[in-house]
Amino acid sequence: MPIRTRPPRAALRALGPALAAALLPAALGAQETPPVVFKSNALEVAVGGRIHTQFNTTTVETEPATEIALRRVRLEATVKVNEWVSAKIQPEYAGSRVTLRDAYVRFAFDPALTLVAGQAHRPFGTVVPTSSTRILPIERGVRIRGLPDAREEHNLIVDLGYADRDAGLQLVGEPKWAPLGLSYAVGVFNGPARAEAREENTYQLAARAAVHPVEPLRVGVSWSRRDFAVQDSAAAERLDVRRGHAWAVDAEYGRYAPGLHLLGEAAMGDLDPASGAEFRGAQGWLGFRTGALGSKLTGVEPVVRVSWGDVDGESERLAVTGGTLVTPGVNFYFGPLNRIMVNYDFWSPDGGGSEGSFKVQFQAAF
């Protein structure tokens, strides 16, 4: 979103004082301090947010060579009603209108059983649910201006609607008695087909289980089942509902802290149940963050990301150009969450040719 795009005036008036109050401590050098918390009797409200300003280039000749964009501007509030009821709301202002990212209520009955009701991440994979304030590369997948059909592993599962946020109900938990630090999440959601076939009763299911066999290793498996609305070949105006499935496995070693950090994810599933087209892909991150190199520079983190996607068959629903994305980069930390990120994306599509994008992103998070 280019900087020239103006958010609504009412949103700016509401956002301005809150951002000024929240960002002033960060500007003075307070890095990842505890969130601002307001208390009233048993009620607690914690306020946080993030700003991502991005400079990027593209080698696609039909696009302007450079751009400065507000990639993300978000405020979030977490409300603790009592020991077992809480809620979160996270609006996003980086666009011509205000949109909601997260908006849900949590009922923590027990560590083994928590109900999440509202809009949140579907429990699928580990790359998509990871906060944009933590991810090692600037973008989770291919994002090069002028390449709308470029899809590797991340873009495939998100654009097909198997991952990312949706409104629904989830049960999540980490039973104390479970072996290997087992955690789980299972949910039912509206699903992408709800917007495509409003007259049909469509929905989506998703589930993920993970174990921590040893520290700091975590391994997970995921499944997502969604309805697709497809044109009935016998009746031009009628939509049929078909089921599509996707599976993913992931592993992560290390944490978002000084030291070695490895993350890998592989996914496969249905691209188009009507045609029988399928997809598969994999993505891996590697980074190593140093300790503090001075009073201001608290770490340097060279990173590399490789992500690949491939399609078997054809689909009339989604234009797909598979290929391989390679991203070397380096992150400069000024506290655990405030950083300057530098990446270069090399995109090699199936069939030959290549495109690239140089990116620098400035992150303030609180």
Side-chain angles (χ1 to χ4, degrees):
M1 190 284 307
I3 260 180
R4 60 177 176 271
T5 302
R6 294 183 178 179
R9 292 183 179 177
L12 282 175
R13 286 196 295 270
L15 180 62
L19 284 181
L23 284 177
L24 182 58
L28 296 176
Q31 305 297 329
E32 202 179 19
T33 56
V36 179
V37 178
F38 304 93
K39 295 184 179 182
S40 177
N41 296 326
L43 187 69
E44 294 184 8
V45 180
V47 179
R50 72 198 69 176
I51 297 177
H52 290 164
T53 302
Q54 185 182 115
F55 168 80
N56 66 71
T57 72
T58 179
T59 59
V60 178
E61 295 182 355
T62 57
E63 292 286 325
T66 64
E67 177 189 71
I68 300 175
L70 286 176
R71 181 66 178 89
R72 296 177 186 89
V73 179
R74 297 180 190 173
L75 283 177
E76 65 180 53
T78 302
V79 181
K80 182 180 178 182
V81 180
N82 53 44
E83 291 300 320
W84 64 284
V85 180
S86 62
K88 180 180 179 180
I89 182 169
Q90 186 187 79
E92 181 164 88
Y93 299 87
S96 58
R97 60 189 179 91
V98 178
T99 58
L100 273 178
R101 303 299 288 174
D102 292 321
Y104 57 80
V105 182
R106 292 174 60 94
F107 297 89
F109 303 111
D110 186 86
L113 183 63
T114 295
L115 172 65
V116 180
Q119 180 163 295
H121 277 289
R122 305 174 182 97
F124 188 84
T126 190
V127 171
V128 176
T130 299
S131 171
S132 58
T133 64
R134 296 289 191 180
I135 56 177
L136 301 188
I138 292 176
E139 303 289 353
R140 295 182 179 89
V142 181
R143 189 181 175 92
I144 299 176
R145 287 181 290 110
L147 298 179
D149 300 334
R151 291 181 170 89
E152 35 58 72
E153 189 264 351
H154 169 267
N155 288 11
L156 281 167
I157 62 174
V158 170
D159 293 346
L160 287 169
Y162 290 114
D164 213 350
R165 293 172 171 88
D166 196 8
L169 300 173
Q170 298 187 58
L171 293 177
V172 303
E174 188 172 347
K176 295 181 179 180
W177 45 263
L180 301 177
L182 174 70
S183 61
Y184 75 92
V186 58
V188 57
F189 304 88
N190 283 336
R194 187 65 59 93
E196 303 167 0
R198 297 186 180 275
E199 71 282 2
E200 299 289 342
N201 182 28
T202 61
Y203 63 98
Q204 181 171 4
L205 300 173
R208 183 172 186 268
V211 294
H212 297 197
V214 296
E215 285 293 339
L217 176 64
R218 296 165 295 282
V219 180
V221 294
S222 307
W223 165 75
S224 184
R225 196 236 71 157
R226 58 152 296 192
D227 287 336
F228 286 79
V230 300
Q231 198 73 42
D232 189 332
S233 58
E237 297 182 356
R238 178 182 173 184
L239 291 175
D240 276 348
V241 175
R242 307 282 181 88
R243 294 178 178 177
H245 300 263
W247 298 264
V249 296
D250 60 79
E252 184 173 12
Y253 180 88
R255 299 188 180 278
Y256 296 92
L260 180 67
H261 194 170
L262 293 164
L263 183 148
E265 178 179 281
M268 61 182 296
D270 295 313
L271 177 73
D272 188 342
S275 66
E278 299 179 338
F279 77 91
R280 55 188 176 272
Q283 177 164 188
W285 302 350
L286 170 62
F288 183 87
R289 191 191 306 188
T290 69
L293 300 178
S295 60
K296 295 181 175 62
L297 184 62
T298 59
V300 175
E301 183 178 46
V303 301
V304 63
R305 181 262 308 279
V306 178
S307 188
W308 163 81
D310 186 45
V311 172
D312 183 10
E314 297 183 357
S315 170
E316 297 181 357
R317 298 177 49 85
L318 187 68
V320 176
T321 300
T324 302
L325 174 68
V326 178
T327 305
V330 59
N331 300 325
F332 300 92
Y333 288 83
F334 304 91
L337 289 182
N338 295 351
R339 57 185 177 172
I340 298 174
M341 310 171 71
V342 182
N343 283 183
Y344 195 93
D345 290 333
F346 296 93
W347 171 244
S348 300
D350 294 340
S354 63
E355 299 290 353
S357 174
F358 174 73
K359 296 180 175 69
V360 181
Q361 183 160 284
F362 306 88
Q363 171 176 304
F366 51 93

